[in-house]
Amino acid sequence: MGGCAPGFGAELRRRRKAVGLSLTELSAMLHYSKGYLSKIENDRKAPSPELARRCDSVLGADGALLVLAPGRRSYLRRRVRDDAAGEGLTDGYRLPDAAHSAARRDEAGCVPLGPGVTVTTLAAVGLAAQHDRTAAGFQAMFIQVRRLGMTISPALVLPILAAQIKVLRELASAADGSSRRRLLLLAARYAEYAGWMAQEAGDDRAAGWWTDMAVGFATAAGDRDLASYALVRHALIALYRRDACRTVALARRAQSHREVAPRVLGLAAQREAQGHALAGDYDDCQRALERARDLLAVAGPDGSGLPVLGSSTVPDSVDMVTAWCLYDLGRPQQAVDMLQQELARVPATAARARTRFAVRLSMARAAVGDLDGSCATAAGALPTAAIVDSATIRLDLRDLARVFARWPRHPAVAALSPQLGGVRNRPAPGR
């Protein structure tokens, strides 16, 4: 049986026949081969999570078929166990507090820098009386570094961020009052973005380290928003590891602190929706998306005067997240329609975001059988994917390659495969 879920194949056959579909017709609707589906129905192969979600959606099973899939059953067992225990699905996860984060620095409290990076001390530059003006300069630099991070390899951005974080820490240690708070908040923003760049460079451990450091800076400044947003960032790491339970758990924890800004709560609700979609929970996903939309609609400036947390390049993040959730929920045609619309709204300067969602649009097009369109979309995204050098985009490209593997003889797929392989198989920096 190969670890198959008992009953999935039989239930798939029963529901297919109940709606009057032949195996050939279901094959055409799902864009999987008849022979492959026959093996699923006869329990000779276990369904992938993607196929299970597609079958459930196409046959209108409302989750009754999906619940028999191996991954879904594991997810439900963890939810029942952890909810009963009051653990909120954390499965032992604990976000390090500020003191723990601080202890992970060296004895001098310095941020580790990359090879060859040097920083001039506060005493050398003589800025003790100019903290506010200096903070404004660092904020302007941060905006420029984030723009740079949209278009080049994260490995090139990280040393810049590390150097600025060290300087900001030195400046904050010599300041007091509102100047110290602003410098610490800037250091927190830099460190949070360094966490994202580390994840994009393929180093999840460093991503968590930088994010925890950001929490330490923000906590010292009396800001609680970043501590909750750090949970959203850790949830993203879990999402890319395909851990639906942990994604949902961390996103819910981020929403449990109602005193934080609506924007942070809205971003957390979006992440929760993505976790539910990964698990095939349509209703919970939609409820989380509605909550995200309501929260982000009322979110205003956080009062710090700093750049907003989270992406600022996607005009409607809820619609974009909804589009990808629909794909994960087995509704690829709806995903295609929304992704095309939203991708057209992302500015050309946001190369990383445009590439990410173009790859996802390619996957959705392949899932509905539009192989020529899928390959054309992917071909347009691959040159930029090589430049931005994103580990998370490479994960999506590997998923795309697995989708294309079902049609190795299709002319467009065969022509694209060498270029696709060259980008998706690039090793992460330092590995």
Side-chain angles (χ1 to χ4, degrees):
M1 296 293 181
C4 301
F8 182 89
E11 183 65 8
L12 174 61
R13 184 188 302 109
R14 187 189 72 77
R15 287 184 174 272
R16 171 178 62 78
K17 291 182 176 180
V19 297
L21 287 174
S22 69
L23 196 58
T24 299
E25 290 169 329
L26 181 61
S27 171
M29 295 173 72
L30 294 173
H31 304 289
Y32 279 80
S33 73
K34 177 181 175 180
Y36 184 78
L37 293 179
S38 177
K39 291 178 182 178
I40 298 292
E41 286 195 347
N42 289 293
D43 284 333
R44 292 169 57 196
K45 278 189 174 293
S48 67
E50 294 78 13
L51 178 58
R53 291 192 288 263
R54 291 292 310 282
C55 290
D56 191 273
S57 175
V58 166
L59 295 176
D62 293 327
L65 184 58
L66 182 60
V67 76
L68 299 175
R72 174 67 172 162
R73 293 172 72 179
S74 173
Y75 171 80
L76 289 173
R77 283 195 300 270
R78 287 179 65 186
R79 287 204 57 171
V80 169
R81 180 198 68 201
D82 294 333
D83 285 348
E87 295 294 331
L89 309 180
T90 55
D91 195 27
Y93 179 85
R94 175 179 174 273
L95 180 68
D97 57 24
H100 180 69
S101 298
R104 295 176 66 182
R105 303 172 195 147
D106 63 31
E107 291 181 359
C110 295
V111 178
L113 301 182
V117 178
T118 59
V119 179
T120 304
T121 64
L122 173 64
V125 295
L127 295 175
Q130 303 179 43
H131 294 306
D132 290 340
R133 183 179 300 174
T134 301
F138 273 93
Q139 181 163 329
M141 282 191 285
F142 178 65
I143 294 170
Q144 293 303 316
V145 171
R146 286 219 303 192
R147 289 175 180 167
L148 195 62
M150 298 177 193
T151 58
I152 67 172
S153 169
L156 300 177
V157 178
L158 274 167
I160 300 172
L161 293 168
Q164 303 306 322
I165 291 166
K166 183 175 176 66
V167 174
L168 282 165
R169 185 184 180 283
E170 292 183 3
L171 290 168
S173 69
D176 54 24
S178 61
S179 294
R180 179 177 182 273
R181 182 175 187 274
R182 186 177 180 190
L183 290 165
L184 285 170
L185 289 175
L186 271 170
R189 285 293 203 276
Y190 269 94
E192 186 279 322
Y193 190 64
W196 171 234
M197 289 290 96
Q199 185 180 0
E200 285 292 272
D203 191 340
D204 288 350
R205 183 175 181 181
W209 192 87
W210 283 112
T211 301
D212 295 343
M213 180 178 289
V215 174
F217 285 134
T219 301
D223 175 82
R224 300 200 57 175
D225 286 352
L226 196 53
S228 290
Y229 184 68
L231 290 163
V232 182
R233 289 282 301 111
H234 281 280
L236 182 63
I237 294 173
L239 183 71
Y240 272 102
R241 290 177 175 173
R242 304 296 191 266
D243 189 336
C245 274
R246 184 160 292 180
T247 302
V248 170
L250 294 171
R252 284 180 172 176
R253 282 185 59 192
Q255 295 169 78
S256 67
H257 304 111
R258 294 296 174 180
E259 66 272 19
V260 303
R263 177 173 176 80
V264 174
L265 295 174
L267 294 173
Q270 280 187 168
R271 189 75 74 237
E272 180 185 343
Q274 290 176 291
H276 288 311
L278 191 62
D281 275 344
Y282 182 86
D283 291 339
D284 282 349
C285 175
Q286 294 304 308
R287 280 191 285 268
L289 287 170
E290 289 172 10
R291 192 162 64 252
R293 189 174 297 282
D294 291 342
L295 286 163
L296 292 174
V298 300
D302 62 8
S304 69
L306 298 172
V308 297
L309 288 168
S311 174
S312 60
T313 59
V314 177
D316 191 331
S317 64
V318 181
D319 276 354
M320 192 67 93
V321 168
T322 299
W324 193 243
C325 285
L326 287 167
Y327 176 86
D328 278 340
L329 289 165
R331 293 162 169 78
Q333 186 57 62
Q334 291 175 262
V336 168
D337 296 340
M338 287 195 73
L339 282 168
Q340 287 183 132
Q341 173 182 311
E342 294 306 310
L343 184 57
R345 300 174 61 194
V346 178
T349 53
R352 190 181 301 276
R354 286 190 61 84
T355 303
R356 183 181 316 283
F357 292 110
V359 171
R360 294 178 174 184
L361 174 59
S362 176
M363 291 173 65
R365 281 178 165 161
V368 298
D370 180 13
L371 291 178
D372 289 333
S374 174
C375 289
T377 300
L382 286 176
T384 308
I387 295 171
V388 298
D389 194 27
S390 161
T392 55
I393 292 175
R394 283 196 296 273
L395 288 174
D396 287 338
L397 288 171
R398 287 165 192 163
D399 287 342
L400 179 61
R402 283 192 286 270
V403 173
F404 282 159
R406 305 207 306 266
W407 299 282
R409 294 185 179 84
H410 188 281
V413 171
L416 183 67
S417 290
Q419 184 184 2
L420 176 59
V423 175
R424 72 182 178 89
N425 292 324
R426 292 183 65 180
R431 293 198 174 182

